[in-house]
C-alpha cells in the first residue's frame, strides 16, 4: 500500500512538472512572438497633413485655373501653359527618368544643365530624391519597399503615397540602392544644394511673371493657370505609377503589374510603354519601337544626339526582346512559344 501511494505521488508530481514545463514553454513562446512583433512593428499609416492641405489647394486652384483658361485668360496664356508644361515634362522624362535614373544615354554638361532646369520647373522633388525613389520602385516593384506600390490600389500609387509617411521598408531596403553616380554629377549636386531657391523661381514665379510682363495677363489669371499647369502635369505623371500599373497589356512579362498603355504613352510624353520599360529599363526609348508615336521624349533625345550633346544611346537587341516576350509575355504582341532559337 505504501509503495502504491509513493508511485501515485511520484506520478502526480511528474504530471505537475510537465504541466509546469508546458506552461513555461507557452509563456516563452508568447514572449518570443511579442519580441518578434516589437522588432517589426505593424505598419500604420501616418498622415502628412501639410501635403493633404497643399494638394487640396493645388487641385481646387487647378480647377479654377482651367475655368479661367477657358473663359477669361488670353490665348497666349493657354499656349504658354502648354509650352511650359511640356518643357517641365521633358525635364522629368528625358532628364530625371531616362538619363539620371536609368543611365539610358549620356549627356554633355550643357544638356544636363538644360534638363536640370526643365526638371526643376516640374517640381517633382530634386533629381537626387526623384531618382532614389524611382530606382527603389524598379528594384522592389509591387512590394512594401516600392514607394508607390501599385498593390495598394489606384489611389495610393497615384497620389496617396505622397500623403503619408513612407513604409519603413522603402527606407531600409532603399538604402541598398547605389546612388554614387549622382553624387558625382555636379549638375545634380548643385540642383540639390540650391533647390529651395531654384524651385519657386522655376516652377511658380517665372511661369507666372512671363504672361503678366509680355502680354499683360492679369496676375491672378496667370497664377491660377500656373496652378493648373503644375497640377495637371503631376496627375499625368502619376498615371504612369497608377493606370500603367493596373490597366493594359503585358507583352513582355505577364507576372508584373506594369502595363503597356497607349493612352498613358500619349499624355506622359512616351512613358506609357511601362511593361517594356520595367523589363528593359536601360533602353533610352523606354519603348520597343523607335518611332515617335506617343513618344515625344525619344524625338527630343534623338535631336540632341543629332547635334552631339547626347551620346551612347542604349537600345535592346530585337532578338532578345522577342525571346523574352515569348517566354514570359501575355502573347499580345509576340505569340508565346517555346522556340528560343528565333
Ligand atoms: C512627385 C513625384 O509628384 C512623382 C514621381 C513620379 C514617378 C513616375 C515615374 C514614371 C516614369 C516617368 C514618367 C514621367 C511622365 C511625365 C509626364 C508629365 C506630363 N530610398 O521622403 P522622406 C530616407 S513629388 C532610400 O521625407 P517620409 C532618406 O534618408 C510632388 N532612402 O520620408 C530620407 O532622408 P533624406 C511634389 C529613402 O518622412 C528619409 O528617409 N513633392 C528613400 O516618410 C526621409 O524621407 C511633394 O509633394 C528611398 N526611396 O515622408 C513632396 N525615401 O531625403 C512629397 C526616403 O534627407 N514628399 N528615404 O535623404 C514628402 O512630403 C515626403 O517624402 C513624404 C514621405 C511625406 C511622401
Ligand atoms: Zn513602374
Ligand atoms: Zn523607370
Amino acid at each position: 500500500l505504501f509503495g502504491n501511494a509513493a508511485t501515485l505521488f511520484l506520478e502526480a508530481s511528474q504530471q505537475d512538472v510537465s504541466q509546469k514545463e508546458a506552461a513555461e514553454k507557452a509563456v516563452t513562446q508568447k514572449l518570443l512572438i511579442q519580441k518578434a512583433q516589437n522588432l517589426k512593428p505593424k505598419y500604420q499609416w501616418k498622415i502628412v497633413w501639410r501635403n493633404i492641405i497643399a494638394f487640396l489647394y493645388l487641385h481646387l486652384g487647378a480647377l479654377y485655373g482651367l475655368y479661367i483658361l477657358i473663359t477669361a485668360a488670353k490665348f497666349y496664356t493657354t499656349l504658354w501653359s502648354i509650352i511650359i508644361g511640356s518643357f517641365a515634362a521633358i525635364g522629368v522624362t528625358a532628364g530625371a527618368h531616362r538619363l539620371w535614373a536609368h543611365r539610358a544615354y549620356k549627356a554633355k554638361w550643357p544638356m544636363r544643365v538644360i534638363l536640370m532646369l526643365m526638371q526643376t520647373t516640374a517640381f517633382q522633388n530634386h533629381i537626387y530624391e526623384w531618382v532614389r525613389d524611382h530606382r527603389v520602385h524598379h528594384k522592389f516593384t509591387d512590394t512594401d519597399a516600392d514607394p508607390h506600390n501599385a498593390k495598394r490600389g489606384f489611389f495610393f500609387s497615384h497620389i496617396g503615397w505622397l500623403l503619408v509617411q513612407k513604409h519603413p521598408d522603402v527606407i531600409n531596403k532603399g538604402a541598398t540602392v547605389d546612388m554614387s553616380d549622382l553624387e558625382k554629377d555636379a549638375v545634380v549636386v548643385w540642383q540639390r544644394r540650391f533647390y529651395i531657391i531654384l524651385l519657386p523661381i522655376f516652377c511658380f514665379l517665372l511661369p507666372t511673371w512671363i504672361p503678366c510682363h509680355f502680354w499683360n495677363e492679369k496676375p491672378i489669371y496667370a497664377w491660377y493657370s500656373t496652378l493648373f499647369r503644375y497640377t495637371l502635369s503631376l496627375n499625368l505623371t502619376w498615371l504612369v505609377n497608377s493606370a500603367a500599373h493596373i490597366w493594359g497589356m503585358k507583352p513582355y512579362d505577364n507576372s508584373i503589374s506594369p502595363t503597356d498603355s497607349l493612352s498613358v504613352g500619349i499624355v506622359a510624353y512616351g512613358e506609357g510603354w511601362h511593361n517594356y520599360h520595367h523589363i528593359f529599363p536601360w533602353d533610352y526609348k523606354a519603348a520597343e519601337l523607335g518611332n515617335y508615336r506617343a513618344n515625344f521624349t525619344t524625338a527630343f533625345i534623338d535631336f540632341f544626339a543629332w547635334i552631339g550633346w547626347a551620346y551612347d544611346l542604349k537600345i535592346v537587341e530585337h532578338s532578345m526582346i522577342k525571346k523574352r516576350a515569348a517566354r514570359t509575355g501575355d502573347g499580345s504582341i509576340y505569340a508565346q512559344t517555346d522556340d528560343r532559337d528565333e
Side-chain angles (χ1 to χ4, degrees), residues 4-77:
N4 272 349
T7 323
L8 273 174
F9 175 74
L10 251 175
E11 270 176 8
S13 58
Q14 266 171 358
Q15 236 173 27
D16 258 13
V17 168
S18 56
Q19 263 175 3
K20 217 170 150 189
E21 266 175 6
E24 269 171 12
K25 221 172 164 181
V27 170
T28 327
Q29 253 174 3
K30 212 172 162 186
L31 279 174
L32 276 174
I33 291 168
Q34 263 174 4
K35 206 171 163 190
Q37 276 171 346
N38 283 343
L39 282 177
K40 202 170 191 292
K42 206 168 174 287
Y43 172 66
Q44 274 176 341
W45 286 25
K46 286 200 199 84
I47 293 177
V48 178
W49 287 102
R50 180 201 63 186
N51 290 9
I52 293 195
I53 292 164
F55 282 122
L56 260 178
Y57 173 70
L58 279 176
H59 282 79
L60 291 174
L63 280 181
Y64 185 62
L66 176 64
Y67 169 75
I68 290 294
L69 281 173
I70 293 170
T71 60
K74 297 194 168 151
F75 168 74
Y76 281 124
T77 307

Side-chain angles (χ1 to χ4, degrees), residues 219-274:
I220 197 78
Y221 291 178
W223 173 247
Y224 281 106
S225 68
T226 290
L227 292 189
F228 173 72
R229 178 266 307 167
Y230 174 48
T231 312
L232 177 67
S233 75
L234 279 183
N235 278 279
L236 297 180
T237 305
W238 296 336
L239 283 177
V240 179
N241 295 335
S242 54
H245 269 264
I246 300 177
W247 303 295
M249 296 192 294
K250 300 180 181 179
Y252 309 96
D253 195 326
N254 206 6
S255 69
I256 54 172
S257 73
T259 62
D260 273 19
S261 162
L262 173 65
S263 34
V264 176
I266 291 168
V267 298
Y269 294 75
E271 300 286 12
W273 316 106
H274 210 52

